[in-house]
Amino acid sequence: MSALVVGVLGLVPAVGALVYVRGAYGTGTVPGQVMAPTYRPGDRIVWARVDGSEVRRGDVVVFSAPDRYPGGGVHMQRVIGVGGDRVACCTRVGSEERVTVNGKPIKEPYVSDGDADGLHRTYDVKVPRGRLFLLGDHRADSVDSRFFATDHGGTIPVDAVRGRVTDDHAVALLLGAAVLLGGVLFLTGVGLGIGFLVVRRRKAPPVPPAPWPVRPTQV
């Protein structure tokens, strides 16, 4: 009975944690240079599943846009403008070229080689409500909103967002620990159950042999 209890106690949190992780988080691998140097090819990423309306400027999001990127799957870029913003490129501040949002140059320490432009292609986009303007951090090697100007200024709908990339792996690590602990408890329960059966079998009284049949005496 104790083995069954331990096994169940281990299985419940393990299954619960797995269900929660699959529902709340997604994982993947960075395929190319689009977000370098922030995220390099081969880096493992974790994203929290959020509604697209919850993301803000500066967030890195994963999204689906099969009409733009054949082959399906999700893609990763950074939110530069949200609904109502005006995003333009570029203005010079000192020796730097900068993207402006609502007329103000924004600081982007994450862009590759400090190049906020990348393509030397001007744009001036008023982001429609319910849509997002996205750019990759490696501006010279990113197929992003700049390449789809005829489709709502290159913006994507907020419901295309699948999640927001997070560098805080604490929750995922805690949930992973819960899964590991649950697995250990479950295996412990199985081991106790097997041990109990072995001990019980050894302690079982021996079964006496069947008596020899008695033959009737002939008269």
Side-chain angles (χ1 to χ4, degrees), residues 3-202:
L4 177 62
V5 171
V6 172
V8 171
L9 287 176
L11 189 60
V12 169
V15 172
L18 280 173
V19 171
Y20 180 79
V21 168
R22 290 181 64 87
Y25 292 90
T27 62
T29 303
V30 179
Q33 295 282 354
V34 62
M35 290 301 295
T38 312
Y39 300 97
R40 299 186 179 278
D43 285 352
R44 293 289 297 175
I45 58 171
V46 176
W47 65 83
R49 301 186 191 277
V50 298
D51 187 89
S53 61
E54 299 177 34
V55 301
R56 299 292 179 263
R57 301 184 201 99
D59 287 345
V60 177
V61 297
V62 292
F63 64 97
S64 175
D67 55 330
R68 295 186 179 182
Y69 305 99
V74 294
H75 303 268
M76 180 171 62
Q77 292 171 15
R78 189 180 296 273
V79 178
I80 303 300
V82 299
D85 286 341
R86 182 179 178 181
V87 182
C89 181
C90 280
T91 189
R92 183 169 290 278
V93 178
S95 61
E96 297 180 339
E97 290 283 322
R98 290 193 190 177
V99 173
T100 64
V101 176
N102 301 323
K104 297 179 180 180
I106 60 175
K107 294 182 179 180
E108 298 187 277
Y110 43 76
V111 295
S112 178
D113 300 321
D115 184 6
D117 182 355
L119 299 178
H120 305 293
R121 176 185 298 182
T122 61
Y123 52 87
D124 190 339
V125 177
K126 179 72 172 181
V127 183
R129 296 291 178 183
R131 301 185 72 89
L132 304 169
F133 188 88
L134 308 178
L135 295 176
D137 286 357
H138 193 180
R139 300 288 158 81
D141 190 18
S142 175
V143 180
D144 45 40
S145 289
R146 297 170 294 176
F147 287 81
F148 306 97
T150 58
D151 180 13
H152 298 84
T155 60
I156 67 163
V158 294
D159 59 11
V161 172
R162 297 292 173 262
R164 176 170 47 214
V165 177
T166 176
D167 293 325
D168 181 7
H169 302 308
V171 175
L173 289 174
L174 287 174
L175 291 170
V179 174
L180 180 62
L181 177 60
V184 170
L185 288 174
F186 178 70
L187 293 176
T188 301
V190 172
L192 289 173
I194 294 174
F196 174 76
L197 291 176
V198 170
V199 171
R200 183 177 182 182
R201 186 171 182 179
R202 288 179 177 176

